[in-house]
Amino acid sequence: MKLNKFTAMAFAGLLSLPLLTACSDDNESETPNLGPLSPNENIFGKAVGNFSAEEWYPGGLLGTTEEVSYSSPAPAVENIAGMEEDFNTGEDFFEHLYTFEQEPRKGLGPAWVRNSCIACHPAYGHGKRQTEYRANTIGNGYLLVIYHPDNNAYISEVTGMPQTKAMTPFKAPIDENQIQIDWKTVTAMESGLPMTFPDGETYSLIYPEVRIPQSAFNTNPKPENYDVRLESTIGIYGTGLLDALDDEEIEKQWAAESKYVELNPAMWDKAAGKFKPGAYYSAAYNNTGTHHGNRGPLKRFTYAMTRGSLQDGAGANAIWNITNVTRSDRHFLYTTPAWAKAQSEDQEVISYIKEHGASETSILHPYYADGTDEGIANRVNEILSCSSIAKKETFDKYLFQGAPYNGKEEMSDKQYYQFMVWHRGLAVPAARNLGDEDVQRGKALFTQIGCAQCHRPSWKTGNDNMWVDASIKAYADANGLAKDGDYTKLLPKFPNQTIWPYTDMVQHRLFMINDIRTGWCRTTPLWGRGLSRMLTGADDRLHDTRARTVIEAIMWHGYSKQSDAYDSTVKFYNLPKKDRDAVVKFIEAI
């Protein structure tokens, strides 16, 4: 990578870090290929109109790529010796299919959600809208959210990320052929907002209704009193930068907004004006000089903000449970006792194992036991029930997937470390077309009508003394990579960066029909979303991809008068068409 003067400045203060290679700007006049700029002038990286020079770099100087891509390594990766090689290896775990027996991507059995990570994140971006649920459809970023509507708790009969695939002869926990997705058209806004703008332009809104009959569940017992929602994946680029935000800065944002809107009581202590203990991850920070005391990192990932540090974030979790890959800190399966019981009672399962599992080379041999129906049934139930750390000894005891387990994980600590170098090191694509007068007007209007109140434009990262998990520590200790006790230097770091994600990191409610479970949803970052159509082939937005365009996404914010964004939506609705278009152009430029 040839560094421009802004990127070079970012590294000037980091030359004391170990393993950092020397870098210089050997061609400052090189024009990045970032789409149309002003004619006869290279304005990239310069202040223009109402944009500052740094706004070309949404991920800051250490986290922005000049490539039109969601998959590029950040400068923080490229300029540390050896880290880019680990990044590329980690990328391989994301991009390729997993198998039952072939290393290094071994896993899947006995049940799984997807056979690859990229299947959910097309081109590393937002999942695409689907009309049917098929796990093997590339671009299907949907996770089935099956919960009890009376208390919003996930059902216990299937896993929290429900599985629709299983190895022969097991029946998948949910028969995806019975899942029905119907897209309904909104005929009238609950708020009363017309579906025709004052100048005569119309818009339409659609939303999904999902039905899974009880017969689709291959569990014992089968669930009762449940509802289903869809949640689609979002872009995974830039997540390391959000991980680098100080917990205290996010808490300040929540405190400021608590004066004007109701905040999620599961996260926020309104009387005390601070986060509740449950808003933090349970494992305390490592000894890296942080001032967080004995508490863990603040939960900030997923729509529901259920995950803390990126090392316990959605991706770190998913690499285990989506593909059912065991690793050193997870010597157990992603299954449920209800599914295990049903499979152990299924005569077709028992008969198939009896016929094909006798050979010690068979992938089914771990389930064969003594070859009797009763022995096989008991063994199936015992192994498939190994779904918690309490069952670790039981799981380790048996031959699993045709070979002695012997404590050898399907994903080693080193491989997991490389995966996290990739995950944390993904760059945000640079902004585009900031010299366009319409884009500049759109930026001004975006703030004037109140969108920036929730889609907060910029943040500054802290020292990025991140939480580091046990697996990465184990890898470092085994290889003598952190003798000074500083494990954070092993992963890409983004200290003291001004970033432009356009999110307040707060959960809000829009009160849409068939809304997200609980109704609370973290404000999704807008950075880089304007490239989705080019990079993924779709521009679907919102948590279940119900919005097919930016206009639809905005108008969903005004479906109900109870929405936290209703007033801003009304102001957008009343803008002249040229101004509405300008707001859209701005959103697509950042």
Side-chain angles (χ1 to χ4, degrees):
M1 175 181 179
K2 292 183 172 61
L3 303 179
N4 58 42
K5 60 184 178 183
F6 295 100
T7 312
M9 287 168 57
F11 287 98
L14 296 177
L15 294 178
S16 60
L17 285 179
L19 305 180
L20 190 65
T21 58
C23 50
S24 62
D25 182 1
D26 57 2
N27 189 358
E28 287 191 15
S29 63
E30 183 175 354
T31 303
N33 181 20
L34 289 166
L37 302 173
S38 295
N40 306 318
E41 184 182 15
N42 177 15
I43 60 170
F44 179 78
K46 299 177 181 178
V48 56
N50 55 356
F51 288 97
S52 65
E54 61 189 3
E55 287 180 78
W56 290 96
Y57 296 86
L61 305 176
L62 293 177
T64 302
T65 177
E66 296 176 10
E67 301 292 331
V68 183
S69 169
Y70 291 152
S71 60
S72 295
V77 171
E78 294 176 311
N79 292 273
I80 296 180
M83 189 169 282
E84 192 166 8
E85 182 178 348
D86 287 324
F87 177 96
N88 291 335
T89 302
E91 180 179 68
D92 185 72
F93 290 108
F94 173 84
E95 289 192 346
H96 292 92
L97 296 178
Y98 281 73
T99 68
F100 292 129
E101 297 177 295
Q102 278 191 320
E103 295 183 345
R105 292 178 301 281
K106 179 181 177 183
L108 292 180
W112 60 94
V113 183
R114 295 287 194 281
N115 57 10
S116 72
C117 302
I118 201 168
C120 288
H121 299 270
Y124 295 49
H126 199 297
K128 300 179 182 180
R129 186 168 56 89
Q130 306 291 315
T131 56
E132 62 179 8
Y133 188 95
R134 293 292 183 270
N136 289 339
T137 298
I138 298 298
N140 171 18
Y142 286 147
L143 293 176
L144 300 167
V145 180
I146 311 174
Y147 66 101
H148 299 296
D150 52 347
N151 61 7
N152 285 320
Y154 290 110
I155 65 171
S156 61
E157 288 79 8
V158 295
T159 53
M161 295 181 177
Q163 300 152 320
T164 61
K165 293 294 182 182
M167 61 183 282
T168 304
F170 302 120
K171 314 290 175 61
I174 301 175
D175 177 8
E176 64 180 22
N177 291 312
Q178 297 187 53
I179 301 171
Q180 186 173 350
I181 302 175
D182 292 323
W183 286 92
K184 304 293 185 179
T185 301
V186 173
T187 56
M189 299 280 270
E190 183 183 282
S191 64
L193 270 177
M195 303 194 72
T196 300
F197 291 106
D199 51 36
E201 184 178 43
T202 61
Y203 65 93
S204 63
L205 301 179
I206 60 173
Y207 64 93
E209 281 189 353
V210 189
R211 290 189 293 276
I212 303 179
Q214 196 178 55
S215 60
F217 293 90
N218 292 307
T219 61
N220 185 7
K222 293 181 183 292
E224 296 180 349
N225 182 33
Y226 59 90
D227 206 345
V228 187
R229 293 289 185 268
L230 298 175
E231 288 183 10
S232 186
T233 50
I234 65 172
I236 54 176
Y237 53 88
T239 43
L241 291 153
L242 300 181
D243 198 38
L245 296 176
D246 276 347
D247 299 351
E248 293 82 2
E249 292 303 309
I250 298 177
E251 187 171 64
K252 288 178 184 178
Q253 182 69 25
W254 280 64
E257 293 193 28
S258 68
K259 301 173 184 177
Y260 308 104
V261 295
E262 190 72 21
L263 299 181
N264 186 355
M267 293 279 289
W268 187 252
D269 187 330
K270 184 176 182 179
K274 64 180 182 180
F275 284 116
K276 291 182 175 180
Y280 296 93
Y281 185 51
S282 58
Y285 270 82
N286 40 281
N287 57 340
T288 55
T290 58
H291 56 280
H292 299 85
N294 293 321
R295 73 172 188 242
L298 178 68
K299 295 175 183 177
R300 64 191 67 190
F301 297 109
T302 76
Y303 295 111
M305 297 184 76
T306 55
R307 292 285 162 181
S309 164
L310 195 61
Q311 283 78 263
D312 187 60
N317 190 50
I319 196 64
W320 164 66
N321 57 22
I322 294 289
T323 55
N324 233 329
V325 173
T326 58
R327 62 188 201 219
S328 66
D329 62 337
R330 304 193 184 195
H331 283 217
F332 52 96
L333 299 173
Y334 191 55
T335 55
T336 66
W339 181 62
K341 188 173 189 296
Q343 299 312 290
S344 71
E345 297 169 343
D346 190 317
Q347 190 56 49
E348 291 182 357
V349 171
I350 304 305
S351 297
Y352 192 94
I353 293 173
K354 193 171 187 177
E355 180 179 354
H356 298 279
S359 171
E360 292 186 2
T361 62
S362 170
I363 197 172
L364 295 174
H365 189 67
Y367 306 94
Y368 186 74
D370 60 4
T372 66
D373 284 11
E374 182 180 5
I376 293 172
N378 288 337
R379 184 65 58 81
V380 166
N381 188 51
E382 193 168 25
I383 293 180
L384 298 191
S385 292
C386 295
S387 57
S388 71
I389 200 67
K391 297 292 184 79
K392 175 183 181 301
E393 292 182 1
T394 304
F395 180 68
D396 290 353
K397 173 182 174 183
Y398 292 115
L399 307 178
F400 181 63
Q401 292 191 0
Y405 184 65
N406 292 335
K408 182 182 178 182
E409 297 78 28
E410 292 167 331
M411 171 173 266
S412 70
D413 287 334
K414 180 178 181 179
Q415 291 168 337
Y416 173 69
Y417 160 74
Q418 293 169 321
F419 176 79
M420 290 312 302
V421 168
W422 163 81
H423 195 2
R424 205 173 203 272
L426 283 170
V428 178
R432 304 152 305 283
N433 303 322
L434 302 190
D436 188 312
E437 292 182 357
D438 288 339
V439 173
Q440 294 170 13
R441 188 170 74 258
K443 178 188 178 183
L445 290 166
F446 186 85
T447 300
Q448 289 172 16
I449 65 178
C451 300
Q453 292 177 9
C454 294
H455 288 281
R456 172 178 164 174
S458 67
W459 292 77
K460 188 169 184 179
T461 63
N463 293 327
D464 200 9
N465 290 321
M466 70 195 80
W467 180 85
V468 179
D469 64 277
S471 294
I472 290 178
K473 287 183 179 179
Y475 165 68
D477 291 344
N479 293 276
L481 300 177
K483 294 179 180 179
D484 58 358
D486 184 5
Y487 297 94
T488 69
K489 67 184 180 183
L490 301 176
L491 294 170
K493 296 187 70 168
F494 304 96
N496 307 310
Q497 298 294 291
T498 299
I499 63 175
W500 301 79
Y502 284 87
T503 174
D504 57 1
M505 301 298 287
V506 175
Q507 289 178 302
H508 292 281
R509 290 178 296 180
L510 301 184
F511 293 94
M512 299 182 289
I513 188 172
N514 276 24
D515 210 346
I516 194 169
R517 182 186 69 95
T518 78
W520 298 99
C521 187
R522 191 198 71 171
T523 305
T524 299
L526 297 179
W527 55 6
R529 289 289 282 114
L531 292 172
S532 181
R533 194 162 47 250
M534 177 192 301
L535 297 179
T536 74
D539 198 27
D540 303 323
R541 295 174 183 252
L542 299 183
H543 71 280
D544 53 11
T545 68
R546 64 176 62 197
R548 296 161 291 187
T549 65
V550 176
I551 291 287
E552 290 184 18
I554 294 172
M555 295 312 300
W556 267 117
H557 286 60
Y559 176 78
S560 169
K561 287 185 177 180
Q562 298 181 77
S563 168
D564 288 354
Y566 174 70
D567 290 342
S568 294
T569 310
V570 172
K571 292 176 182 177
F572 176 82
Y573 171 84
N574 286 313
L575 290 175
K577 176 174 171 51
K578 66 176 183 178
D579 286 345
R580 296 197 304 273
D581 291 345
V583 171
V584 172
K585 289 186 72 173
F586 162 71
I587 292 173
E588 292 185 332
I590 56 177

